[in-house]
Amino acid sequence: MSTNDSDDSDRLEQYIRNEKGHLPSSESIVALANWLYANEYFETNDRLIPTSDLKEILGDRLEYGVDTALDHLEEINVVTEVSRGGGQMILHERKNKAFFNPSNRDMIPFLEEEVSRFLEDLHEQERRRQESDDTSTDEAPSVADGGEPETSEEDADSETEGAEVDDDEDTDNVPTTLRAVAAAVLDVEVPVEDALTNPTDYIERIERFDGIVSAIIENDEVSREREYEPMGWRNTANKWVLTKTAKARKENESLAG
């Protein structure tokens, strides 16, 4: 089984086979290391992958289990398990980018991109809704053109009673637009746009955005029409990367230093 087109002569694969080639699981061990490299899960760029994700992606593609392969790779310093930041991190889910230091300002561009995607979705949905309302108003026909005649006083009373029933049915106040969902989450006296872009504390901005998107995902009345994902605090799990040494072997670089 192979997960990429790696050359059997590369130094990383040679090293793994020298150390673990006698094991029945050696092909699975090599394949997992090659997959981590091909997908750039390196110690040098904080791109991590949890054990659960590896099992979901590779579980049916490896002859031996992911846990077995990881254990052997860790023994020979090809992979390392990462757990930093007191058990929590800020995760950019859409790009699977993890930040373990809350003061790391490198996360700000990722936040700004996600907020921008959300606001574009918000404004586009509002624009289409307004256009639909305007079209409905413009196209309402007169009686002469086949429109509805005026209702009698009795019919009007009946319709009013029906409307009151409908109002009672709406008492749950479930938000049905992106703006309503966001406003309910934020509970602030400023427009959604300002609440997401004005705070100078970007951790607060991250937490506000994360709350909004999580609420949108959970709300059956609204949907996202652009790609954006929550970005906020997550508990760390068992996450893995190729070590610097393994990456250097794969790229035939010097192991010195």
Side-chain angles (χ1 to χ4, degrees), residues 175-192:
T176 58
T177 67
L178 294 186
R179 186 175 295 277
V181 172
V185 171
L186 295 172
D187 192 25
V188 294
E189 298 298 324
V190 296
V192 169

Side-chain angles (χ1 to χ4, degrees), residues 126-138:
E126 289 181 333
R127 182 188 64 78
R128 288 205 310 271
R129 191 177 302 109
Q130 182 62 48
E131 288 179 351
S132 177
D133 290 344
D134 291 344
T135 300
S136 297
T137 301
D138 292 342

Side-chain angles (χ1 to χ4, degrees), residues 105 108 111-112 115 186 188 190-209:
R105 299 183 65 86
I108 296 179
L111 169 63
E112 291 175 342
V115 170
L186 295 172
V188 294
V190 296
V192 169
E193 292 85 348
D194 293 342
L196 284 175
T197 58
N198 284 350
T200 55
D201 183 346
Y202 58 89
I203 297 299
E204 179 181 356
R205 289 164 55 196
I206 286 174
E207 291 175 345
R208 288 183 177 189
F209 175 76

Side-chain angles (χ1 to χ4, degrees), residues 72-251:
H72 288 300
L73 289 171
E74 188 177 26
E75 285 178 5
I76 58 176
N77 194 35
V78 172
V79 302
T80 186
E81 184 178 358
V82 179
S83 179
R84 288 176 285 177
Q88 280 196 320
M89 63 181 175
I90 292 175
L91 178 66
H92 184 282
E93 288 192 9
R94 190 168 56 83
K95 294 186 177 179
N96 197 30
K97 180 74 173 176
F99 298 91
F100 296 91
N101 180 2
S103 64
N104 186 346
R105 299 183 65 86
D106 290 344
M107 71 180 79
I108 296 179
F110 293 93
L111 169 63
E112 291 175 342
E113 180 180 0
E114 295 304 289
V115 170
S116 176
R117 285 170 172 264
F118 163 68
L119 292 178
E120 287 174 4
D121 190 16
L122 169 70
H123 296 153
E124 177 62 20
Q125 290 194 33
E126 289 181 333
R127 182 188 64 78
R128 288 205 310 271
R129 191 177 302 109
Q130 182 62 48
E131 288 179 351
S132 177
D133 290 344
D134 291 344
T135 300
S136 297
T137 301
D138 292 342
E139 293 181 353
S142 65
V143 174
D145 293 331
E148 293 296 328
E150 293 183 5
T151 59
S152 67
E153 184 176 343
E154 182 179 347
D155 290 337
D157 290 341
S158 175
E159 289 178 1
T160 302
E161 291 174 3
E164 291 174 354
V165 172
D166 290 340
D167 288 341
D168 290 339
E169 292 175 352
D170 290 337
T171 54
D172 288 340
N173 294 322
V174 177
T176 58
T177 67
L178 294 186
R179 186 175 295 277
V181 172
V185 171
L186 295 172
D187 192 25
V188 294
E189 298 298 324
V190 296
V192 169
E193 292 85 348
D194 293 342
L196 284 175
T197 58
N198 284 350
T200 55
D201 183 346
Y202 58 89
I203 297 299
E204 179 181 356
R205 289 164 55 196
I206 286 174
E207 291 175 345
R208 288 183 177 189
F209 175 76
D210 186 82
I212 289 172
V213 182
S214 295
I216 291 171
I217 293 171
E218 294 171 3
N219 188 315
D220 294 333
E221 302 297 322
V222 297
S223 60
R224 291 171 292 173
E225 296 181 7
R226 287 215 62 182
E227 283 190 67
Y228 47 89
E229 297 292 340
M231 181 177 177
W233 293 103
R234 303 289 182 269
N235 291 325
T236 57
N238 295 333
K239 293 182 172 65
W240 301 89
V241 289
L242 279 181
T243 62
K244 295 177 183 177
T245 301
K247 182 174 181 290
R249 281 195 172 98
K250 186 73 176 178
E251 296 174 353

Side-chain angles (χ1 to χ4, degrees), residues 45-89:
N45 65 3
D46 279 338
R47 182 166 159 75
L48 315 170
I49 185 164
T51 307
S52 57
D53 287 0
L54 284 171
K55 289 180 177 179
E56 182 178 348
I57 296 168
L58 297 177
D60 295 334
R61 300 164 61 186
L62 298 178
E63 185 177 357
Y64 286 79
V66 167
D67 287 328
T68 298
L70 286 172
D71 286 344
H72 288 300
L73 289 171
E74 188 177 26
E75 285 178 5
I76 58 176
N77 194 35
V78 172
V79 302
T80 186
E81 184 178 358
V82 179
S83 179
R84 288 176 285 177
Q88 280 196 320
M89 63 181 175

